[in-house]
């Protein structure tokens, strides 16, 4: 039996919409990738933390805001990630002498060691996971995620 407000609209129930259940699929993807990460890469450094460490390794001295933008993190998440990495001695936070509000991030020796130690495992996991997709499919997958994130962020910013 259908509810009166949904009668005659199979799309509302997901019957004809191929995007129905997308959030559950994304959640499951994050779960299984996280489990693979923990088992094959590191149970101590998360994928998000590694992304930050690798980003700082490639481009030392970034500020927290730039790092967050490059990793598609919101301000609060970035602050939490930086705090955890600082507490573990992987990152040092310095104040910009020209702008006291700007936090400059530097990898410590321990942070560099983590990047060098687990980077080969990260590469292996990514190759294994994405290896079933052609390069064009890999690119389309990431670009589609980026477009959807931008669409939702734009929609939320436009709300009164």
């Amino acid at each position: 039996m259908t509810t009166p407000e949904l009668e005659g609209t199979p799309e509302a129930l997901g019957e004809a919409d191929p995007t129905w259940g997308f959030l559950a699929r994304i959640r499951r993807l994050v779960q299984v990738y996280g489990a693979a990460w923990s088992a094959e890469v590191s149970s101590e450094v998360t994928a998000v933390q590694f992304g930050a460490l690798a980003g700082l390794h490639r481009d030392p001295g970034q500020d927290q805001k730039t790092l967050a933008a490059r990793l598609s993190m919101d301000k609060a998440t970035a602050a939490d990630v930086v705090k955890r990495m600082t507490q573990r001695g992987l990152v040092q936070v310095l104040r910009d002498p020209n702008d006291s509000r700007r936090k400059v991030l530097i990898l410590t020796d321990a942070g560099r060691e983590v990047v060098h130690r687990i980077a080969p495992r990260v590469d292996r996991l990514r190759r294994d996971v994405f290896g079933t997709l052609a390069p064009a499919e890999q690119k389309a997958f990431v670009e589609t995620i980026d477009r959807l994130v931008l669409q939702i962020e734009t929609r939320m910013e436009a709300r009164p």
Side-chain angles (χ1 to χ4, degrees):
M1 179 174 187
T2 60
T3 57
E5 64 272 10
L6 296 178
E7 279 183 20
T9 59
E11 292 82 13
L13 297 173
E15 294 175 19
D17 186 344
T19 64
W20 183 258
F22 83 94
L23 197 55
R25 289 180 176 106
I26 290 171
R27 181 188 52 77
R28 184 68 181 142
L29 175 62
V30 170
Q31 282 178 330
V32 297
Y33 190 82
W37 178 279
S38 186
E40 300 174 32
V41 176
S42 176
S43 60
E44 296 175 6
V45 177
T46 68
V48 172
Q49 290 171 347
F50 179 79
L53 293 170
L56 292 172
H57 187 267
R58 276 190 310 276
D59 188 10
Q62 293 179 60
D63 62 34
Q64 189 168 309
K65 183 178 179 181
T66 301
L67 181 67
R70 288 180 176 170
L71 295 175
S72 297
M73 283 192 275
D74 60 68
K75 187 178 177 180
T77 301
D80 185 56
V81 168
V82 169
K83 178 183 174 186
R84 290 173 190 268
M85 293 188 309
T86 301
Q87 289 172 339
R88 292 190 52 215
L90 304 175
V91 172
Q92 183 178 11
V93 180
L94 306 172
R95 293 282 181 194
D96 184 330
N98 299 321
D99 182 353
S100 62
R101 295 170 297 168
R102 185 173 180 257
K103 296 177 181 178
V104 177
L105 308 173
I106 306 291
L107 280 184
T108 63
D109 290 341
R112 278 188 290 285
E113 186 276 326
V114 166
V115 170
H116 290 289
R117 179 170 42 86
I118 70 174
R121 291 182 245 164
V122 173
D123 289 340
R124 187 171 38 256
L125 177 61
R126 276 201 327 255
R127 278 194 313 272
D128 290 349
V129 168
F130 288 99
T132 60
L133 301 177
E137 290 175 308
Q138 294 173 17
K139 183 177 180 188
F141 174 74
V142 173
E143 288 174 347
T144 299
I145 291 170
D146 289 344
R147 280 197 336 259
L148 291 173
V149 168
L150 180 61
Q151 163 65 18
I152 295 167
E153 287 175 343
T154 301
R155 177 187 173 100
M156 295 306 292
E157 290 169 1
R159 294 182 72 144

